[in-house]
Amino acid sequence: MKVKVIRGSNQIGGSIIEVASESTRVILDVGSELGENAPQTPAVEGLFNGTPSFDAVLISHYHGDHLGLLDSVLPEIPVFMGKKAYAVYEKQLEYAGKPLRDDIRTFEPRESFAIGDIQITPYLCDHSAFDSYMYLLQEGDEKVLYTGDFRSNGRKNFKYLLSLLPEVDKLIVEGTTLSGKHASARTEADLEYEAVQLIKRIGDAPVFVNMASTNIDRIVTFFRTAKRTGRVLLEDTYTASLTAAISGNIPNPKFPEVKVFLARPTERDYDILQHFSSSKIGRRGISKERFVMMVRPSMLGYLEKLSAEMDFNGGLLIYSLWGGYKEDERTKAFLTRMEELGLSIVDLHVSGHADTQTIEALIAVVKPKEIIPVHTENAEWFERFKADE
Ligand SMILES: [Zn+2]
Ligand SMILES: [Zn+2]
């Protein structure tokens, strides 16, 4: 099989990769570039325009830099993604009022399927998006593994994943963290421990967390943190609709320790709130609770009103996102105002991407004859794995 990185070999995000046998052509991810407001669709003949010439698009996970161009894929080309990832993606689009391709095909972990003469096996991996996959592509004896975005510092057992993976001919691997300092990544469990210690010190004062609603693992981390410090977790209507779509053991409005609040009085948010009427909570109710509350800059108006009903002094605003987003004007204004209202801003975040030890461990197991780096600004780092000849 031939591998061609159409976009993303020397940048983080915007990945589009082609894997082709003699008779079958498959696309791995159709990402938009990070920081793009209006995604530019590159001219890829047979994928976004012209006569369809690809047999499938496989999406590794629901981050925009991997599926942002899904809308532009020719409707004749089948699209595949994980079942639970699709549930989250569907809610995201529904909330944003955007149309959704209604013919997306879903699969369960390790359920193999054939695209032409290529056999596909998805392997569930850990990342800051829920239900993320690595893909093994096999034609005859030849194997190609695509990692998507992955990490070993979440709550899934990385050694178990490694035990499932075969040796491969080609490895298409992400290298997001390779441009920075090569420290080993702290884990979600470390983050939970640190959050518990911080919150224990502030008594009953309020705790707010600025994080991504689609980072389901992080919601688990703060739910556990809330429980360990005798607090309820407050989810806004959007987050509640995402967690309810996954449900199961993911903290959602059915949990007695989760309450739902309405920060924006739109018709859609009212509808969602009605749906969760037994767990809804208003500002008066919140002011009497000990809580960990999920917030975003767009909720500033609501939080101003809440601060009129309760004292924010001595409380925390935990910033749990990539530090780079702090440059965003709206985020800056939000953090400044929250500080004025009496909160201390604390950074608590761990990476969603593999550190060097994790990448090395993967390579040691799958023993690729060829490595194709993607999603990185430091592809040279991988040259150390080239056999001396
Ligand atoms: Zn990515
Ligand atoms: Zn990602």
Side-chain angles (χ1 to χ4, degrees):
M1 287 172 282
K2 288 204 177 80
V3 176
K4 179 178 165 195
V5 181
I6 297 173
R7 188 164 77 175
S9 56
N10 261 305
Q11 67 182 45
I12 294 171
S15 298
I16 306 173
I17 302 152
E18 175 185 347
V19 179
S21 67
E22 287 293 322
S23 62
T24 305
R25 296 173 84 195
V26 170
I27 290 284
L28 303 169
D29 285 337
V30 282
S32 44
E33 297 190 292
L34 286 170
E36 266 186 336
N37 288 324
Q40 303 280 320
T41 307
V44 182
E45 184 71 26
L47 177 61
F48 301 124
N49 51 38
T51 312
S53 61
F54 290 91
D55 300 286
V57 170
L58 310 178
I59 301 295
S60 63
H61 63 288
Y62 55 62
H63 282 154
D65 62 320
H66 297 260
L67 59 46
L69 298 177
L70 204 51
D71 276 355
S72 308
V73 172
L74 292 168
E76 294 84 353
I77 304 173
V79 175
F80 293 81
M81 68 193 288
K83 197 174 190 176
K84 289 177 187 155
Y86 177 73
V88 174
Y89 178 59
E90 188 184 22
K91 285 287 163 196
Q92 263 183 298
L93 291 193
E94 187 184 304
Y95 191 83
K98 289 184 185 156
L100 172 75
R101 256 185 85 146
D102 57 5
D103 61 345
I104 291 177
R105 304 183 195 185
T106 60
F107 52 74
E108 304 276 356
R110 292 163 68 197
E111 232 174 45
S112 297
F113 51 95
I115 306 290
D117 59 2
I118 301 179
Q119 188 74 11
I120 314 285
T121 310
Y123 290 93
L124 183 68
C125 66
D126 202 301
H127 178 47
S128 44
F130 193 65
D131 203 35
S132 295
Y133 288 90
M134 294 188 178
Y135 285 109
L136 180 73
L137 295 88
Q138 191 168 356
E139 186 220 354
D141 291 337
E142 196 189 2
K143 296 187 185 81
V144 175
L145 180 69
Y146 171 49
T147 65
D149 288 353
F150 75 109
R151 65 175 182 175
S152 67
N153 53 324
R155 290 200 164 79
K156 288 183 192 71
N157 189 329
F158 185 59
K159 285 207 175 90
Y160 174 68
L161 170 62
L162 291 182
S163 75
L164 301 174
L165 297 173
E167 292 184 12
V168 300
D169 300 280
K170 293 178 184 177
L171 175 68
I172 310 166
V173 56
E174 72 123 317
T176 315
T177 66
L178 302 174
S179 27
K181 282 180 268 128
H182 299 172
S184 66
R186 292 186 307 134
T187 66
E188 287 290 329
D190 293 339
L191 195 152
E192 178 183 324
Y193 176 81
E194 286 168 39
V196 167
Q197 301 312 311
L198 278 169
I199 295 171
K200 276 185 178 165
R201 272 186 237 136
I202 62 162
D204 295 337
V207 176
F208 301 92
V209 184
N210 185 187
M211 57 166 286
S213 299
T214 52
N215 189 343
I216 305 297
D217 280 10
R218 192 60 47 82
I219 296 176
V220 172
T221 295
F222 281 108
F223 173 74
R224 291 171 56 99
T225 301
K227 248 190 131 165
R228 288 175 61 184
T229 53
R231 291 168 178 253
V232 291
L233 180 71
L234 304 180
E235 294 183 356
D236 60 284
T237 39
Y238 173 55
T239 308
S241 74
L242 297 184
T243 56
I246 306 171
S247 71
N249 58 0
I250 299 305
N252 69 79
K254 281 195 198 135
F255 283 35
E257 310 91 339
V258 173
K259 300 267 179 253
V260 183
F261 66 97
L262 177 78
R264 294 199 313 167
T266 68
E267 206 176 312
R268 196 169 41 243
D269 289 273
Y270 268 124
D271 278 353
I272 298 173
L273 193 69
Q274 290 315 326
H275 204 78
F276 304 125
S277 53
S278 58
S279 40
K280 69 181 177 188
I281 187 166
R283 284 199 299 273
R284 178 78 54 82
I286 294 174
S287 70
K288 294 185 187 122
E289 279 282 2
R290 302 177 78 238
F291 61 80
V292 172
M293 183 177 197
M294 295 181 53
V295 297
R296 293 188 292 281
S298 61
M299 294 175 192
L300 186 55
Y302 181 83
L303 294 169
E304 294 271 9
K305 285 185 201 148
L306 182 63
S307 73
E309 304 209 24
M310 64 178 294
D311 190 6
F312 281 14
N313 279 298
L316 298 175
L317 184 128
I318 299 174
Y319 180 83
S320 193
L321 290 163
W322 176 58
Y325 295 135
K326 275 190 172 175
E327 299 307 311
D328 174 63
E329 288 305 323
R330 205 170 180 201
T331 300
K332 255 189 222 169
F334 173 67
L335 296 177
T336 307
R337 183 64 191 136
M338 293 299 269
E339 216 164 9
E340 284 167 8
L341 291 172
L343 301 173
S344 305
I345 314 283
V346 215
D347 292 324
L348 275 187
H349 184 51
V350 299
S351 177
H353 295 278
D355 56 17
T356 49
Q357 291 97 311
T358 303
I359 296 172
E360 282 161 358
L362 173 74
I363 290 173
V365 166
V366 302
K367 301 185 173 62
K369 297 186 187 97
E370 188 187 340
I371 294 177
I372 300 142
V374 290
H375 208 280
T376 185
E377 289 171 345
N378 188 12
E380 299 76 35
W381 183 85
F382 289 95
E383 275 166 23
R384 69 196 63 200
F385 300 103
K386 278 191 182 148
D388 299 316
E389 279 162 20

